[in-house]
Amino acid sequence: MKITKPKFVRNEQALSLSLVRQLAGRRFVILTDEIVAEHCMPLLAVFLQNHQPLDIIEVEPGEVSKSPEVCIQLWDHFIELGLNKTDVVVCLGGGSVCDLGGFVAKTYKRGIPVLFLPTTLLAMTDASIGGKNGVDSLDVKNVIGTISQPEAILVYPSFYETLTRRQYVSGLAEVVKHAVISGGELWNDVKTMLSNEHSISLEILKRSAEFKYSIVKQDPFEKDLRRILNFGHTIGHAIESACMNRADQLEHGIAVAAGMLVETELAIRLKLGEKKELDEVKEFIRSGFQDYWIEMPRWNEISPFLEQDKKIKAKKNVFALPFSIGRLEIVEQVPVGDVEKAYNQFFS
Ligand SMILES: NC(=O)c1ccc[n+]([C@@H]2O[C@H](COP(=O)([O-])OP(=O)(O)OC[C@H]3O[C@@H](n4cnc5c(N)ncnc54)[C@H](O)[C@@H]3O)[C@@H](O)[C@H]2O)c1
């Protein structure tokens, strides 16, 4: 399977040119959300002057649109528009729009082409890459989904300039995740940069996105190596699920940062690796993200969701745990008491 590599574009002209190359002579719809439409659609003006979409479909912003109900509305709308296999669904948005749009397009008529225009830092470094798309059901994250590559991923970093601080920090969490998994220069550079200014350069964003691409390329269907990208996600998804019905939803990356902290503590408790290095990871994550962990759920609120995590095979729990910086391993059947103690150390 050919894995789609994110292509970075420097300015509006280059973005327009890439879109023309990809879409000229083809019918396409733009799927976006109401907030992204307001902030990012104007940056497509050059392209849209001469290339009109069949429709611009706006969904409600955020995780709430990753639902089977919204999928049905979109499939029905695609049928009404007469979309077919030569048409393209352009997803303009963060991870929610990419996950939703990718899944709906890849299940409509057994799959029609998708193009991603990620607009959040998180989607640029992570969610738009790798072809995993899906929606939630019964508060369980990404429980219905596909693995299927988009036709193209065009990353125009200026899109993310209108993000709120919390949304930006949420994206930083996935950059940190890639840095811990990669180790080496990426870890050193991310650590230095975030310690100094709590933001990252375009060059680091590119390397982070390319790191994810390199892992997916080796294991597109998450049979083995790709599972290490789930670092922080077993706990992070349970936290997100427990927060799903709150008025103020917790951003994905901020939940993942909490998950990485707990899972690093878990690795230390289980005496799995280099304690000194794991303490360094723990301290780096805690100091960088603790200001954003508001009203975290208690253990008894998240534990039911740990049992429903889609990574659980035959009732075994599964974690991608750090053994050192640059070395993660899949660990199964971790005693629940240890997970609880690790969680309660920070979020009781
Ligand atoms: N498929 C994958 O491999 C993968 C990987 C990581 C995360 N995800 C998924 O991605 C989702 C989170 O994605 P996200 O963090 O991008 O959040 P999101 O897409 O929900 O967007 C967050 C908020 O930011 C707004 N927004 C988006 N772009 C903006 C911009 N440029 N300016 C101003 N506001 C903007 C949105 O309208 C929304 O309100 C989760 O559902 C997560 O499960 C998927």
Side-chain angles (χ1 to χ4, degrees), residues 33 35-36 39-40 61-63 66 94-97 99 119-120 122-123 126-127 129 132-133 141-142 159-160 162-163 167 170 174 212 252:
D33 73 39
I35 297 174
V36 176
H39 291 294
C40 302
E63 194 74 26
K66 284 178 54 176
S96 298
V97 166
D99 273 6
T119 62
T120 61
L122 186 138
D126 192 355
I129 306 160
K132 273 210 299 193
N133 300 124
K141 288 265 308 174
N142 302 333
F159 276 139
Y160 78 58
T162 48
L163 287 181
Q167 291 296 349
S170 173
E174 300 285 13
K212 166 134 188 206
H252 175 74

PDB file of all heavy atoms in Angstrom, residues 33 35-36 39-40 61-63 66 94-97 99 119-120 122-123 126-127 129 132-133 141-142 159-160 162-163 167 170 174 212 252, ligand 1:
ATOM      1  N   ASP A  33     -15.871  22.579   9.091  1.00  0.00           N
ATOM      2  CA  ASP A  33     -16.790  22.891  10.185  1.00  0.00           C
ATOM      3  C   ASP A  33     -17.001  24.400  10.239  1.00  0.00           C
ATOM      4  O   ASP A  33     -16.304  25.163   9.551  1.00  0.00           O
ATOM      5  CB  ASP A  33     -16.336  22.267  11.520  1.00  0.00           C
ATOM      6  CG  ASP A  33     -15.134  22.944  12.152  1.00  0.00           C
ATOM      7  OD1 ASP A  33     -15.033  24.179  12.103  1.00  0.00           O
ATOM      8  OD2 ASP A  33     -14.296  22.221  12.740  1.00  0.00           O
ATOM      9  N   ILE A  35     -16.432  26.796  12.350  1.00  0.00           N
ATOM     10  CA  ILE A  35     -15.353  27.704  12.777  1.00  0.00           C
ATOM     11  C   ILE A  35     -14.245  27.746  11.722  1.00  0.00           C
ATOM     12  O   ILE A  35     -13.740  28.810  11.363  1.00  0.00           O
ATOM     13  CB  ILE A  35     -14.783  27.249  14.145  1.00  0.00           C
ATOM     14  CG1 ILE A  35     -15.884  27.341  15.210  1.00  0.00           C
ATOM     15  CG2 ILE A  35     -13.565  28.075  14.538  1.00  0.00           C
ATOM     16  CD1 ILE A  35     -15.486  26.793  16.573  1.00  0.00           C
ATOM     17  N   VAL A  36     -13.902  26.572  11.210  1.00  0.00           N
ATOM     18  CA  VAL A  36     -12.849  26.514  10.189  1.00  0.00           C
ATOM     19  C   VAL A  36     -13.291  27.276   8.936  1.00  0.00           C
ATOM     20  O   VAL A  36     -12.491  27.982   8.308  1.00  0.00           O
ATOM     21  CB  VAL A  36     -12.505  25.041   9.837  1.00  0.00           C
ATOM     22  CG1 VAL A  36     -11.489  24.988   8.715  1.00  0.00           C
ATOM     23  CG2 VAL A  36     -11.976  24.316  11.066  1.00  0.00           C
ATOM     24  N   HIS A  39     -12.508  30.885   9.524  1.00  0.00           N
ATOM     25  CA  HIS A  39     -11.093  31.291   9.611  1.00  0.00           C
ATOM     26  C   HIS A  39     -10.259  30.885   8.392  1.00  0.00           C
ATOM     27  O   HIS A  39      -9.316  31.586   8.040  1.00  0.00           O
ATOM     28  CB  HIS A  39     -10.449  30.670  10.859  1.00  0.00           C
ATOM     29  CG  HIS A  39     -10.966  31.260  12.131  1.00  0.00           C
ATOM     30  ND1 HIS A  39     -10.742  32.560  12.491  1.00  0.00           N
ATOM     31  CD2 HIS A  39     -11.705  30.717  13.123  1.00  0.00           C
ATOM     32  CE1 HIS A  39     -11.310  32.811  13.656  1.00  0.00           C
ATOM     33  NE2 HIS A  39     -11.909  31.695  14.062  1.00  0.00           N
ATOM     34  N   CYS A  40     -10.545  29.729   7.823  1.00  0.00           N
ATOM     35  CA  CYS A  40      -9.613  29.177   6.815  1.00  0.00           C
ATOM     36  C   CYS A  40     -10.107  29.274   5.370  1.00  0.00           C
ATOM     37  O   CYS A  40      -9.295  29.296   4.457  1.00  0.00           O
ATOM     38  CB  CYS A  40      -9.298  27.710   7.139  1.00  0.00           C
ATOM     39  SG  CYS A  40      -8.583  27.523   8.773  1.00  0.00           S
ATOM     40  N   PRO A  61     -18.520  22.089  14.825  1.00  0.00           N
ATOM     41  CA  PRO A  61     -17.099  21.902  15.151  1.00  0.00           C
ATOM     42  C   PRO A  61     -16.870  20.861  16.242  1.00  0.00           C
ATOM     43  O   PRO A  61     -17.693  20.715  17.148  1.00  0.00           O
ATOM     44  CB  PRO A  61     -16.663  23.278  15.676  1.00  0.00           C
ATOM     45  CG  PRO A  61     -17.702  24.227  15.198  1.00  0.00           C
ATOM     46  CD  PRO A  61     -18.972  23.450  15.098  1.00  0.00           C
ATOM     47  N   GLY A  62     -15.752  20.150  16.128  1.00  0.00           N
ATOM     48  CA  GLY A  62     -15.293  19.289  17.229  1.00  0.00           C
ATOM     49  C   GLY A  62     -15.757  17.849  17.163  1.00  0.00           C
ATOM     50  O   GLY A  62     -16.395  17.394  16.206  1.00  0.00           O
ATOM     51  N   GLU A  63     -15.431  17.140  18.225  1.00  0.00           N
ATOM     52  CA  GLU A  63     -15.654  15.695  18.355  1.00  0.00           C
ATOM     53  C   GLU A  63     -17.130  15.312  18.171  1.00  0.00           C
ATOM     54  O   GLU A  63     -17.440  14.224  17.707  1.00  0.00           O
ATOM     55  CB  GLU A  63     -15.178  15.277  19.757  1.00  0.00           C
ATOM     56  CG  GLU A  63     -15.009  13.800  19.995  1.00  0.00           C
ATOM     57  CD  GLU A  63     -13.779  13.208  19.317  1.00  0.00           C
ATOM     58  OE1 GLU A  63     -12.789  13.917  19.071  1.00  0.00           O
ATOM     59  OE2 GLU A  63     -13.837  11.992  19.026  1.00  0.00           O
ATOM     60  N   LYS A  66     -18.144  13.600  15.072  1.00  0.00           N
ATOM     61  CA  LYS A  66     -17.637  12.255  14.747  1.00  0.00           C
ATOM     62  C   LYS A  66     -18.651  11.224  15.257  1.00  0.00           C
ATOM     63  O   LYS A  66     -18.380  10.476  16.189  1.00  0.00           O
ATOM     64  CB  LYS A  66     -16.269  12.031  15.388  1.00  0.00           C
ATOM     65  CG  LYS A  66     -15.126  12.745  14.656  1.00  0.00           C
ATOM     66  CD  LYS A  66     -13.773  12.547  15.323  1.00  0.00           C
ATOM     67  CE  LYS A  66     -13.380  11.113  15.548  1.00  0.00           C
ATOM     68  NZ  LYS A  66     -12.012  10.985  16.120  1.00  0.00           N
ATOM     69  N   GLY A  94      -9.646  20.277  11.250  1.00  0.00           N
ATOM     70  CA  GLY A  94      -8.760  19.576  12.171  1.00  0.00           C
ATOM     71  C   GLY A  94      -8.982  18.068  12.092  1.00  0.00           C
ATOM     72  O   GLY A  94      -9.598  17.555  11.146  1.00  0.00           O
ATOM     73  N   GLY A  95      -8.478  17.382  13.111  1.00  0.00           N
ATOM     74  CA  GLY A  95      -8.590  15.924  13.127  1.00  0.00           C
ATOM     75  C   GLY A  95     -10.029  15.439  13.077  1.00  0.00           C
ATOM     76  O   GLY A  95     -10.306  14.389  12.487  1.00  0.00           O
ATOM     77  N   SER A  96     -10.952  16.198  13.642  1.00  0.00           N
ATOM     78  CA  SER A  96     -12.356  15.750  13.643  1.00  0.00           C
ATOM     79  C   SER A  96     -12.909  15.714  12.228  1.00  0.00           C
ATOM     80  O   SER A  96     -13.533  14.722  11.820  1.00  0.00           O
ATOM     81  CB  SER A  96     -13.217  16.668  14.516  1.00  0.00           C
ATOM     82  OG  SER A  96     -12.784  16.622  15.852  1.00  0.00           O
ATOM     83  N   VAL A  97     -12.680  16.788  11.470  1.00  0.00           N
ATOM     84  CA  VAL A  97     -13.190  16.831  10.089  1.00  0.00           C
ATOM     85  C   VAL A  97     -12.478  15.776   9.230  1.00  0.00           C
ATOM     86  O   VAL A  97     -13.106  15.093   8.422  1.00  0.00           O
ATOM     87  CB  VAL A  97     -13.025  18.257   9.494  1.00  0.00           C
ATOM     88  CG1 VAL A  97     -13.222  18.257   7.987  1.00  0.00           C
ATOM     89  CG2 VAL A  97     -14.003  19.214  10.166  1.00  0.00           C
ATOM     90  N   ASP A  99     -11.055  12.925  10.264  1.00  0.00           N
ATOM     91  CA  ASP A  99     -11.512  11.583  10.656  1.00  0.00           C
ATOM     92  C   ASP A  99     -12.902  11.286  10.095  1.00  0.00           C
ATOM     93  O   ASP A  99     -13.152  10.220   9.534  1.00  0.00           O
ATOM     94  CB  ASP A  99     -11.565  11.465  12.188  1.00  0.00           C
ATOM     95  CG  ASP A  99     -10.234  11.034  12.780  1.00  0.00           C
ATOM     96  OD1 ASP A  99      -9.254  10.935  12.020  1.00  0.00           O
ATOM     97  OD2 ASP A  99     -10.178  10.778  13.998  1.00  0.00           O
ATOM     98  N   THR A 119      -6.065  21.853   9.297  1.00  0.00           N
ATOM     99  CA  THR A 119      -6.015  23.256   9.744  1.00  0.00           C
ATOM    100  C   THR A 119      -5.579  23.420  11.190  1.00  0.00           C
ATOM    101  O   THR A 119      -5.430  24.543  11.661  1.00  0.00           O
ATOM    102  CB  THR A 119      -7.401  23.930   9.576  1.00  0.00           C
ATOM    103  OG1 THR A 119      -8.347  23.229  10.401  1.00  0.00           O
ATOM    104  CG2 THR A 119      -7.859  23.923   8.130  1.00  0.00           C
ATOM    105  N   THR A 120      -5.425  22.311  11.929  1.00  0.00           N
ATOM    106  CA  THR A 120      -4.880  22.414  13.300  1.00  0.00           C
ATOM    107  C   THR A 120      -3.459  21.858  13.294  1.00  0.00           C
ATOM    108  O   THR A 120      -3.103  21.029  12.439  1.00  0.00           O
ATOM    109  CB  THR A 120      -5.714  21.603  14.320  1.00  0.00           C
ATOM    110  OG1 THR A 120      -5.689  20.228  13.942  1.00  0.00           O
ATOM    111  CG2 THR A 120      -7.146  22.091  14.412  1.00  0.00           C
ATOM    112  N   LEU A 122      -2.406  19.794  15.405  1.00  0.00           N
ATOM    113  CA  LEU A 122      -2.537  18.360  15.675  1.00  0.00           C
ATOM    114  C   LEU A 122      -2.801  17.572  14.388  1.00  0.00           C
ATOM    115  O   LEU A 122      -2.220  16.513  14.149  1.00  0.00           O
ATOM    116  CB  LEU A 122      -3.668  18.127  16.690  1.00  0.00           C
ATOM    117  CG  LEU A 122      -3.824  16.688  17.161  1.00  0.00           C
ATOM    118  CD1 LEU A 122      -4.089  16.641  18.658  1.00  0.00           C
ATOM    119  CD2 LEU A 122      -4.911  15.947  16.413  1.00  0.00           C
ATOM    120  N   ALA A 123      -3.672  18.102  13.539  1.00  0.00           N
ATOM    121  CA  ALA A 123      -3.980  17.383  12.300  1.00  0.00           C
ATOM    122  C   ALA A 123      -2.794  17.426  11.334  1.00  0.00           C
ATOM    123  O   ALA A 123      -2.571  16.478  10.577  1.00  0.00           O
ATOM    124  CB  ALA A 123      -5.231  17.967  11.652  1.00  0.00           C
ATOM    125  N   ASP A 126      -0.225  14.873  12.846  1.00  0.00           N
ATOM    126  CA  ASP A 126      -0.659  13.537  13.204  1.00  0.00           C
ATOM    127  C   ASP A 126      -1.921  13.073  12.473  1.00  0.00           C
ATOM    128  O   ASP A 126      -1.877  12.187  11.620  1.00  0.00           O
ATOM    129  CB  ASP A 126      -0.884  13.490  14.737  1.00  0.00           C
ATOM    130  CG  ASP A 126      -1.046  12.087  15.266  1.00  0.00           C
ATOM    131  OD1 ASP A 126      -1.079  11.154  14.451  1.00  0.00           O
ATOM    132  OD2 ASP A 126      -1.139  11.903  16.484  1.00  0.00           O
ATOM    133  N   ALA A 127      -3.076  13.706  12.767  1.00  0.00           N
ATOM    134  CA  ALA A 127      -4.359  13.109  12.371  1.00  0.00           C
ATOM    135  C   ALA A 127      -4.554  12.960  10.865  1.00  0.00           C
ATOM    136  O   ALA A 127      -5.254  12.046  10.419  1.00  0.00           O
ATOM    137  CB  ALA A 127      -5.506  13.917  12.966  1.00  0.00           C
ATOM    138  N   ILE A 129      -2.318  12.154   8.749  1.00  0.00           N
ATOM    139  CA  ILE A 129      -1.324  11.228   8.182  1.00  0.00           C
ATOM    140  C   ILE A 129      -1.604   9.804   8.625  1.00  0.00           C
ATOM    141  O   ILE A 129      -1.854   9.564   9.817  1.00  0.00           O
ATOM    142  CB  ILE A 129       0.103  11.620   8.659  1.00  0.00           C
ATOM    143  CG1 ILE A 129       0.390  13.085   8.346  1.00  0.00           C
ATOM    144  CG2 ILE A 129       1.164  10.714   8.048  1.00  0.00           C
ATOM    145  CD1 ILE A 129       1.515  13.677   9.174  1.00  0.00           C
ATOM    146  N   LYS A 132      -5.830   6.411   9.046  1.00  0.00           N
ATOM    147  CA  LYS A 132      -6.801   5.893  10.033  1.00  0.00           C
ATOM    148  C   LYS A 132      -7.885   6.945  10.197  1.00  0.00           C
ATOM    149  O   LYS A 132      -7.602   8.068  10.591  1.00  0.00           O
ATOM    150  CB  LYS A 132      -6.114   5.683  11.392  1.00  0.00           C
ATOM    151  CG  LYS A 132      -5.458   4.357  11.544  1.00  0.00           C
ATOM    152  CD  LYS A 132      -5.389   3.792  12.944  1.00  0.00           C
ATOM    153  CE  LYS A 132      -4.687   4.490  14.013  1.00  0.00           C
ATOM    154  NZ  LYS A 132      -4.426   3.748  15.228  1.00  0.00           N
ATOM    155  N   ASN A 133      -9.109   6.604   9.869  1.00  0.00           N
ATOM    156  CA  ASN A 133     -10.218   7.551  10.027  1.00  0.00           C
ATOM    157  C   ASN A 133     -11.394   6.848  10.652  1.00  0.00           C
ATOM    158  O   ASN A 133     -11.633   5.675  10.374  1.00  0.00           O
ATOM    159  CB  ASN A 133     -10.649   8.107   8.657  1.00  0.00           C
ATOM    160  CG  ASN A 133      -9.501   8.836   7.971  1.00  0.00           C
ATOM    161  OD1 ASN A 133      -9.132   8.507   6.867  1.00  0.00           O
ATOM    162  ND2 ASN A 133      -8.916   9.787   8.651  1.00  0.00           N
ATOM    163  N   LYS A 141     -14.282   6.157  21.698  1.00  0.00           N
ATOM    164  CA  LYS A 141     -13.570   6.887  20.653  1.00  0.00           C
ATOM    165  C   LYS A 141     -13.177   5.996  19.470  1.00  0.00           C
ATOM    166  O   LYS A 141     -12.682   4.885  19.660  1.00  0.00           O
ATOM    167  CB  LYS A 141     -12.264   7.449  21.228  1.00  0.00           C
ATOM    168  CG  LYS A 141     -12.448   8.604  22.168  1.00  0.00           C
ATOM    169  CD  LYS A 141     -12.310   9.944  21.497  1.00  0.00           C
ATOM    170  CE  LYS A 141     -11.053  10.122  20.702  1.00  0.00           C
ATOM    171  NZ  LYS A 141     -11.045  11.393  19.964  1.00  0.00           N
ATOM    172  N   ASN A 142     -13.381   6.503  18.272  1.00  0.00           N
ATOM    173  CA  ASN A 142     -12.879   5.897  17.033  1.00  0.00           C
ATOM    174  C   ASN A 142     -13.216   4.414  16.904  1.00  0.00           C
ATOM    175  O   ASN A 142     -12.448   3.647  16.316  1.00  0.00           O
ATOM    176  CB  ASN A 142     -11.351   6.061  16.945  1.00  0.00           C
ATOM    177  CG  ASN A 142     -10.933   7.512  17.010  1.00  0.00           C
ATOM    178  OD1 ASN A 142     -11.683   8.410  16.631  1.00  0.00           O
ATOM    179  ND2 ASN A 142      -9.731   7.760  17.505  1.00  0.00           N
ATOM    180  N   PHE A 159      -2.626  28.090   8.155  1.00  0.00           N
ATOM    181  CA  PHE A 159      -3.984  27.788   8.622  1.00  0.00           C
ATOM    182  C   PHE A 159      -4.065  27.815  10.149  1.00  0.00           C
ATOM    183  O   PHE A 159      -5.052  28.229  10.712  1.00  0.00           O
ATOM    184  CB  PHE A 159      -4.424  26.395   8.156  1.00  0.00           C
ATOM    185  CG  PHE A 159      -4.991  26.354   6.750  1.00  0.00           C
ATOM    186  CD1 PHE A 159      -4.667  25.298   5.895  1.00  0.00           C
ATOM    187  CD2 PHE A 159      -5.867  27.326   6.296  1.00  0.00           C
ATOM    188  CE1 PHE A 159      -5.196  25.232   4.618  1.00  0.00           C
ATOM    189  CE2 PHE A 159      -6.402  27.264   5.013  1.00  0.00           C
ATOM    190  CZ  PHE A 159      -6.061  26.220   4.170  1.00  0.00           C
ATOM    191  N   TYR A 160      -3.018  27.335  10.816  1.00  0.00           N
ATOM    192  CA  TYR A 160      -3.187  27.147  12.264  1.00  0.00           C
ATOM    193  C   TYR A 160      -2.988  28.436  13.079  1.00  0.00           C
ATOM    194  O   TYR A 160      -3.151  28.432  14.297  1.00  0.00           O
ATOM    195  CB  TYR A 160      -2.363  25.968  12.794  1.00  0.00           C
ATOM    196  CG  TYR A 160      -0.884  26.144  13.019  1.00  0.00           C
ATOM    197  CD1 TYR A 160      -0.378  27.112  13.878  1.00  0.00           C
ATOM    198  CD2 TYR A 160       0.019  25.273  12.414  1.00  0.00           C
ATOM    199  CE1 TYR A 160       0.982  27.250  14.101  1.00  0.00           C
ATOM    200  CE2 TYR A 160       1.382  25.390  12.625  1.00  0.00           C
ATOM    201  CZ  TYR A 160       1.852  26.388  13.462  1.00  0.00           C
ATOM    202  OH  TYR A 160       3.194  26.512  13.682  1.00  0.00           O
ATOM    203  N   THR A 162      -4.856  30.828  13.535  1.00  0.00           N
ATOM    204  CA  THR A 162      -6.067  31.321  14.230  1.00  0.00           C
ATOM    205  C   THR A 162      -6.534  30.372  15.343  1.00  0.00           C
ATOM    206  O   THR A 162      -7.597  30.584  15.927  1.00  0.00           O
ATOM    207  CB  THR A 162      -7.209  31.528  13.205  1.00  0.00           C
ATOM    208  OG1 THR A 162      -7.289  30.358  12.376  1.00  0.00           O
ATOM    209  CG2 THR A 162      -6.974  32.750  12.355  1.00  0.00           C
ATOM    210  N   LEU A 163      -5.729  29.343  15.635  1.00  0.00           N
ATOM    211  CA  LEU A 163      -6.118  28.417  16.714  1.00  0.00           C
ATOM    212  C   LEU A 163      -6.115  29.113  18.069  1.00  0.00           C
ATOM    213  O   LEU A 163      -5.306  30.024  18.297  1.00  0.00           O
ATOM    214  CB  LEU A 163      -5.116  27.256  16.802  1.00  0.00           C
ATOM    215  CG  LEU A 163      -5.136  26.173  15.731  1.00  0.00           C
ATOM    216  CD1 LEU A 163      -4.073  25.127  16.050  1.00  0.00           C
ATOM    217  CD2 LEU A 163      -6.507  25.522  15.633  1.00  0.00           C
ATOM    218  N   GLN A 167      -5.964  24.878  21.756  1.00  0.00           N
ATOM    219  CA  GLN A 167      -5.911  23.995  20.577  1.00  0.00           C
ATOM    220  C   GLN A 167      -4.468  23.866  20.085  1.00  0.00           C
ATOM    221  O   GLN A 167      -4.051  22.796  19.632  1.00  0.00           O
ATOM    222  CB  GLN A 167      -6.804  24.544  19.449  1.00  0.00           C
ATOM    223  CG  GLN A 167      -8.296  24.465  19.738  1.00  0.00           C
ATOM    224  CD  GLN A 167      -8.805  23.047  19.881  1.00  0.00           C
ATOM    225  OE1 GLN A 167      -8.102  22.083  19.562  1.00  0.00           O
ATOM    226  NE2 GLN A 167     -10.009  22.899  20.383  1.00  0.00           N
ATOM    227  N   SER A 170      -2.687  21.543  22.399  1.00  0.00           N
ATOM    228  CA  SER A 170      -3.159  20.181  22.121  1.00  0.00           C
ATOM    229  C   SER A 170      -2.312  19.555  20.993  1.00  0.00           C
ATOM    230  O   SER A 170      -1.891  18.393  21.074  1.00  0.00           O
ATOM    231  CB  SER A 170      -4.645  20.252  21.733  1.00  0.00           C
ATOM    232  OG  SER A 170      -5.113  19.022  21.299  1.00  0.00           O
ATOM    233  N   GLU A 174       1.058  16.027  20.535  1.00  0.00           N
ATOM    234  CA  GLU A 174       1.375  14.962  19.562  1.00  0.00           C
ATOM    235  C   GLU A 174       2.812  15.132  19.038  1.00  0.00           C
ATOM    236  O   GLU A 174       3.485  14.154  18.724  1.00  0.00           O
ATOM    237  CB  GLU A 174       0.371  14.946  18.404  1.00  0.00           C
ATOM    238  CG  GLU A 174      -1.089  14.705  18.818  1.00  0.00           C
ATOM    239  CD  GLU A 174      -1.440  13.263  19.204  1.00  0.00           C
ATOM    240  OE1 GLU A 174      -0.518  12.431  19.404  1.00  0.00           O
ATOM    241  OE2 GLU A 174      -2.648  12.967  19.318  1.00  0.00           O
ATOM    242  N   LYS A 212       5.947  10.578  11.783  1.00  0.00           N
ATOM    243  CA  LYS A 212       4.733   9.735  11.763  1.00  0.00           C
ATOM    244  C   LYS A 212       4.643   8.994  10.428  1.00  0.00           C
ATOM    245  O   LYS A 212       4.367   7.791  10.385  1.00  0.00           O
ATOM    246  CB  LYS A 212       3.485  10.591  11.979  1.00  0.00           C
ATOM    247  CG  LYS A 212       2.215   9.806  11.629  1.00  0.00           C
ATOM    248  CD  LYS A 212       1.098   9.868  12.579  1.00  0.00           C
ATOM    249  CE  LYS A 212      -0.004   8.892  12.210  1.00  0.00           C
ATOM    250  NZ  LYS A 212      -1.317   9.283  12.676  1.00  0.00           N
ATOM    251  N   HIS A 252      -8.175  16.804  22.422  1.00  0.00           N
ATOM    252  CA  HIS A 252      -7.576  15.471  22.263  1.00  0.00           C
ATOM    253  C   HIS A 252      -6.128  15.435  22.757  1.00  0.00           C
ATOM    254  O   HIS A 252      -5.743  14.585  23.556  1.00  0.00           O
ATOM    255  CB  HIS A 252      -7.647  15.058  20.785  1.00  0.00           C
ATOM    256  CG  HIS A 252      -6.964  13.765  20.481  1.00  0.00           C
ATOM    257  ND1 HIS A 252      -7.477  12.545  20.835  1.00  0.00           N
ATOM    258  CD2 HIS A 252      -5.766  13.512  19.868  1.00  0.00           C
ATOM    259  CE1 HIS A 252      -6.638  11.596  20.453  1.00  0.00           C
ATOM    260  NE2 HIS A 252      -5.602  12.142  19.859  1.00  0.00           N
TER     261      HIS A 252
HETATM  262  N1  LIG B   1      -6.734   9.630  12.474  1.00  0.00           N
HETATM  263  C1  LIG B   1      -5.689   9.776  13.244  1.00  0.00           C
HETATM  264  O1  LIG B   1      -4.640   9.169  13.011  1.00  0.00           O
HETATM  265  C2  LIG B   1      -5.775  10.711  14.398  1.00  0.00           C
HETATM  266  C3  LIG B   1      -4.602  11.045  15.110  1.00  0.00           C
HETATM  267  C4  LIG B   1      -4.715  11.966  16.156  1.00  0.00           C
HETATM  268  C5  LIG B   1      -5.956  12.504  16.480  1.00  0.00           C
HETATM  269  N2  LIG B   1      -7.075  12.133  15.774  1.00  0.00           N
HETATM  270  C6  LIG B   1      -8.385  12.700  16.096  1.00  0.00           C
HETATM  271  O2  LIG B   1      -8.351  14.095  15.831  1.00  0.00           O
HETATM  272  C7  LIG B   1      -9.351  14.733  16.626  1.00  0.00           C
HETATM  273  C8  LIG B   1      -8.775  15.974  17.244  1.00  0.00           C
HETATM  274  O3  LIG B   1      -8.354  16.820  16.214  1.00  0.00           O
HETATM  275  P1  LIG B   1      -8.043  18.362  16.458  1.00  0.00           P
HETATM  276  O4  LIG B   1      -7.269  18.512  17.689  1.00  0.00           O
HETATM  277  O5  LIG B   1      -7.512  18.859  15.199  1.00  0.00           O
HETATM  278  O6  LIG B   1      -9.469  18.964  16.829  1.00  0.00           O
HETATM  279  P2  LIG B   1     -10.768  19.383  15.994  1.00  0.00           P
HETATM  280  O7  LIG B   1     -10.716  19.009  14.585  1.00  0.00           O
HETATM  281  O8  LIG B   1     -11.920  18.893  16.800  1.00  0.00           O
HETATM  282  O9  LIG B   1     -10.686  20.958  16.097  1.00  0.00           O
HETATM  283  C9  LIG B   1     -10.668  21.567  17.349  1.00  0.00           C
HETATM  284  C10 LIG B   1     -11.336  22.941  17.283  1.00  0.00           C
HETATM  285  O10 LIG B   1     -10.496  23.831  16.572  1.00  0.00           O
HETATM  286  C11 LIG B   1     -11.243  24.487  15.568  1.00  0.00           C
HETATM  287  N3  LIG B   1     -10.315  24.793  14.471  1.00  0.00           N
HETATM  288  C12 LIG B   1      -9.767  23.945  13.587  1.00  0.00           C
HETATM  289  N4  LIG B   1      -8.900  24.574  12.796  1.00  0.00           N
HETATM  290  C13 LIG B   1      -8.900  25.868  13.180  1.00  0.00           C
HETATM  291  C14 LIG B   1      -8.192  27.034  12.761  1.00  0.00           C
HETATM  292  N5  LIG B   1      -7.288  26.966  11.787  1.00  0.00           N
HETATM  293  N6  LIG B   1      -8.451  28.180  13.389  1.00  0.00           N
HETATM  294  C15 LIG B   1      -9.354  28.267  14.403  1.00  0.00           C
HETATM  295  N7  LIG B   1     -10.043  27.204  14.847  1.00  0.00           N
HETATM  296  C16 LIG B   1      -9.816  26.019  14.248  1.00  0.00           C
HETATM  297  C17 LIG B   1     -12.340  23.527  15.207  1.00  0.00           C
HETATM  298  O11 LIG B   1     -13.433  24.198  14.631  1.00  0.00           O
HETATM  299  C18 LIG B   1     -12.671  22.952  16.568  1.00  0.00           C
HETATM  300  O12 LIG B   1     -13.558  23.786  17.249  1.00  0.00           O
HETATM  301  C19 LIG B   1      -9.795  13.717  17.668  1.00  0.00           C
HETATM  302  O13 LIG B   1     -11.059  13.242  17.325  1.00  0.00           O
HETATM  303  C20 LIG B   1      -8.770  12.612  17.553  1.00  0.00           C
HETATM  304  O14 LIG B   1      -9.302  11.364  17.895  1.00  0.00           O
HETATM  305  C21 LIG B   1      -6.983  11.263  14.759  1.00  0.00           C
END
